Amino acid sequence: MSPRTHLTSADDVPEQGGWLFTVEEPDGSLREVFLVELDDGIAAWKNYCQHETDQELYREDIGAVMRDGGIVCPKHGSVFDAATGYCDNGKAAGSTLAEVDVTEELGQVYLTDEDVAFSHAGPADAGSEDDDDDDMPGSTSHMTF
Ligand code: FES
């Protein structure tokens, strides 16, 4: 069980790019999660595409690409609804991103998901001196923005 953990100020979640942090899964593995700004709050999604789970949606250089309320997969261009996580187009059609529960209160964002524990802000490899990141998704892209 994870207590409510303060993540950041909602003002620090950019309209473009999102805000990346890392959680510990129940099996002890680290998983990147990114916050995105919605019209009426904040959502948090695990940082991998549902079409190819080794494909990151949030990339270190540009963050998550947002377009018309959607999150664009950098590899094949499927767009996931930023509020629901659902994708109705392209190679990931019919899938939904893996959500992490967060709450916004008085302009602050908290991790409230009982299935994961906060590890650190930033990418998974930023909180450890262990360079073995074989378990983490890589990032490849056939697209430019
Ligand atoms: S890897 Fe994301 S749509 Fe193919």
Side-chain angles (χ1 to χ4, degrees):
M1 181 168 167
S2 174
R4 169 170 136 149
T5 305
H6 180 250
L7 295 173
T8 187
S9 163
D11 290 341
D12 289 338
V13 180
E15 267 180 51
Q16 273 293 339
W19 190 88
L20 189 72
F21 65 105
T22 299
V23 297
E24 186 176 326
E25 298 271 29
D27 66 1
S29 64
L30 295 180
R31 172 70 67 187
E32 291 180 355
V33 178
F34 60 100
L35 301 175
V36 292
E37 184 183 49
L38 308 175
D39 288 341
D40 59 351
I42 300 283
W45 305 107
K46 293 184 180 179
N47 188 21
Y48 61 89
C49 183
Q50 296 297 305
H51 174 226
E52 293 181 6
T53 56
D54 63 347
Q55 176 60 48
E56 295 175 338
L57 300 172
Y58 182 107
R59 296 188 301 169
E60 199 172 335
D61 51 349
I62 58 172
V65 173
M66 308 289 294
R67 186 190 302 152
D68 298 331
I71 301 160
V72 184
C73 175
K75 189 164 185 181
H76 298 121
S78 284
V79 181
F80 296 86
D81 187 296
T84 67
Y86 185 70
C87 176
D88 65 0
N89 57 87
K91 293 185 181 287
S95 67
T96 303
L97 297 178
E99 185 171 21
V100 171
D101 294 335
V102 295
T103 300
E104 183 181 354
E105 191 176 305
L106 300 175
Q108 302 298 314
V109 185
Y110 299 89
L111 175 67
T112 52
D113 197 310
E114 296 187 355
D115 295 329
V116 297
F118 179 75
S119 175
H120 56 271
D125 58 8
S128 161
E129 295 178 12
D130 180 0
D131 286 331
D132 180 8
D133 60 356
D134 290 346
D135 294 337
M136 294 307 297
S139 178
T140 57
S141 177
H142 298 160
M143 302 180 68
T144 56
F145 296 98

